[in-house]
Amino acid sequence: MLIVQKYGGTSVGNPERIKNVATRVARCRAAGDQVVVVVSAMSGVTDSLIKLAKEIMPLPSEREMDVLLATGEQTTIALTAMALHALGLQAVSLTGAQAGILTDGVHTKAKIQNITPKRVHELLNAGHVVIVAGFQGETPDGHITTLGRGGSDLTAIALAAALKAGLCQIYTDVDGVYTADPRIVPGARKLPEISYDEMLELASLGAKVMQSRSVEFAKKFGVVFEVRSSLNDNPGTIVKEETKSMEDIVIRGVSLDKNQAKVTLVAVPDKPGVAARIFKALGDAAINVDMIVQNVSHGSGKPATDLSFTVDKPDLLKAQKVIAGLKKEIGFGEVIAAEKIGKLSIVGVGMKSHSGVAGKMFETLAKEGVNIDMISTSEIKISVVIDLAKGEAAMKAIHAAFLGA
Ligand code: ADP
Ligand code: ASP
Ligand code: MG
């Protein structure tokens, strides 16, 4: 069988951990399986590279950021190959580009366009373990790109789809997907299984155990995968298509996203086309806008609205720049940026068929003395923006109310 295994930052965080990965891979080889290993940069490396760049300038060229960030994974593929050689196994490391991963040109959050894993197949057939650098690819004209934070998950899932792997395993520093981040909520429980849609919501709402785009990709191509620990042999969490029995559970999990920032434009002229102009400009700058709230102010004078939206914190500076560029044209008032916000969400496919969930959530927050700043809902989730300082306490209270302490 062909197995794709992905090892995240902490799983390759030091030489001992890299040797541990090699030992695990060697076990699969001994059992006769072919293995493609996708590795992340050693934990902390991507963050320190970003910090370094910001010390040179606050808004560095995104193309150069990708050249820089790709080096983190290039280090670990080589070290992992060496660790396998030390065990007497044949192994070859490949960058994303060498593995045939082609992307669009949206630097720092490129999308995979297609994968031609010819070289991977050849090396596997020649008896090698193939080690592929996660998080990176190249454009058709040869520029290095990266796939967004946590993007090694995407590399693994996309390779599993392209290679038609029999198994796709995401190895990390927790045993699987929990009802909440076990580092924040001690009473969180491991889920034996979760649907793509629930995993996708949890991931996009801050549960960084999986990159959300990788889950989207898995759903689209039907890649069933398992999230499990690189440090033990406990069964992990299977992520797959929704089954009937999953709907019996109203809330699958709780997540807290501390990585969002809120921008408020005060006194935006209330007339057709204004929102379109603002969000088109943000979209053109490849800034993902998440929640949007608009309030018509009923005061005297010209009709105006306050418009708030959230973006990923790393995009805040860029968003402020785009908005500043529109001020003259649109004519709004003050622009307020708030970084100390948290987005708390509950997720579950069972919400489709159960009522009273929102009421219970808001009541729990009220009891905790937490003010709700923004609300957004979908069929299977409810999210609120709250004060970051109260985020973790609110998360614990919500988890206790819906999933037990
Ligand atoms: P890796 O480096 O292996 O990709 P990450 O740090 O990206 O690992 O993701 C694993 C971390 O995700 C865990 O250490 C955990 O703190 C966090 N996490 C957040 N939400 C959850 C959840 N619902 N279940 C499990 N882990 C979660
Ligand atoms: N090294 C990259 C990051 O820290 C990609 C990954 O770990 O998946 O975001
Ligand atoms: Mg990760």
Side-chain angles (χ1 to χ4, degrees):
M1 175 159 62
L2 171 57
I3 308 178
V4 173
Q5 299 187 329
K6 177 257 172 177
Y7 292 91
T10 35
S11 302
V12 293
N14 59 45
E16 284 317 308
R17 292 280 171 90
I18 294 177
K19 289 179 191 170
N20 170 60
V21 167
T23 309
R24 298 188 78 106
V25 173
R27 257 198 272 152
C28 299
R29 288 297 288 146
D33 294 320
Q34 290 185 318
V35 192
V36 172
V37 183
V38 173
V39 285
S40 292
M42 294 164 85
S43 55
V45 166
T46 308
D47 286 337
S48 28
L49 291 171
I50 293 174
K51 194 161 158 273
L52 256 180
K54 302 236 148 144
E55 280 170 29
I56 303 283
M57 66 182 295
L59 260 185
S61 139
E62 289 176 333
R63 181 196 181 277
E64 300 311 326
M65 275 313 280
D66 279 352
V67 175
L68 179 69
L69 295 187
T71 62
E73 272 70 12
Q74 198 168 331
T75 306
T76 40
I77 51 171
L79 294 173
T80 308
M82 292 170 195
L84 283 160
H85 296 163
L87 296 179
L89 271 79
Q90 285 186 292
V92 176
S93 67
L94 298 177
T95 64
Q98 289 173 326
I101 299 176
L102 274 193
T103 74
D104 63 20
V106 183
H107 286 289
T108 78
K109 39 184 137 172
K111 285 207 168 70
I112 293 181
Q113 283 183 332
N114 81 72
I115 302 188
T116 329
K118 187 167 160 272
R119 206 139 158 198
V120 178
H121 278 302
E122 285 166 3
L123 289 165
L124 285 172
N125 292 338
H128 292 275
V129 173
V130 181
I131 300 141
V132 180
F135 178 54
Q136 53 172 268
E138 72 171 346
T139 63
D141 44 4
H143 298 282
I144 296 174
T145 51
T146 64
L147 310 175
R149 295 307 304 268
S152 300
D153 296 332
L154 177 58
T155 305
I157 284 169
L159 271 173
L163 296 165
K164 301 191 172 58
L167 260 185
C168 178
Q169 302 172 318
I170 307 292
Y171 285 94
T172 181
D173 56 0
V174 279
D175 280 1
V177 180
Y178 280 66
T179 50
D181 187 340
R183 286 179 210 281
I184 303 177
V185 182
R189 282 173 284 110
K190 181 168 75 181
L191 297 162
E193 58 176 23
I194 185 169
S195 70
Y196 289 127
D197 287 336
E198 289 169 324
M199 187 69 250
L200 185 54
E201 289 284 13
L202 282 177
S204 22
L205 297 168
K208 74 162 190 162
V209 61
M210 286 300 299
Q211 187 212 30
S212 59
R213 282 170 56 189
S214 71
V215 183
E216 220 171 337
F217 196 102
K219 178 179 155 93
K220 190 163 162 194
F221 292 96
V223 180
V224 174
F225 62 95
E226 184 183 10
V227 180
R228 53 187 300 170
S229 169
S230 63
L231 299 171
N232 61 46
D233 290 315
N234 299 343
T237 302
I238 307 287
V239 187
K240 58 176 194 185
E241 206 47 77
E242 181 179 327
T243 57
K244 196 80 203 106
S245 67
M246 288 181 181
E247 280 205 34
D248 297 341
I249 294 165
V250 186
I251 302 300
R252 184 83 48 199
V254 183
S255 63
L256 176 65
D257 190 349
K258 302 177 180 178
N259 198 35
Q260 296 258 307
K262 186 174 84 168
V263 180
T264 301
L265 279 62
V266 178
V268 182
D270 189 19
K271 59 182 189 204
V274 171
R277 183 73 190 95
I278 292 169
F279 293 106
K280 167 90 173 36
L282 290 165
D284 288 347
I287 295 166
N288 293 326
V289 172
D290 181 37
M291 281 193 198
I292 303 174
V293 168
Q294 179 179 292
N295 280 323
V296 180
S297 70
H298 294 285
S300 55
K302 264 194 256 160
T305 75
D306 284 357
L307 184 66
S308 294
F309 59 88
T310 62
V311 295
D312 291 340
K313 239 174 230 172
D315 279 342
L316 178 60
L317 214 56
K318 204 159 87 168
Q320 284 174 297
K321 223 171 139 180
V322 170
I323 296 298
L326 295 171
K327 190 166 171 115
K328 223 167 141 194
E329 175 189 336
I330 299 178
F332 41 80
E334 205 185 342
V335 179
I336 306 163
E339 280 196 82
K340 297 206 163 58
I341 61 160
K343 185 169 60 174
L344 179 64
S345 310
I346 53 177
V347 171
V349 288
M351 252 188 250
K352 289 186 218 170
S353 48
H354 290 77
S355 57
V357 180
K360 183 169 168 183
M361 182 185 195
F362 301 157
E363 206 184 327
T364 309
L365 291 171
K367 272 197 208 131
E368 284 292 304
V370 177
N371 190 50
I372 301 172
D373 219 16
M374 296 166 102
I375 300 173
S376 89
T377 64
S378 80
E379 234 188 349
I380 67 163
K381 71 121 203 262
I382 303 171
S383 301
V384 293
V385 169
I386 58 176
D387 177 7
L388 183 58
K390 294 191 173 156
E392 294 197 356
M395 185 184 199
K396 285 181 197 148
I398 292 292
H399 190 277
F402 285 98
L403 293 152

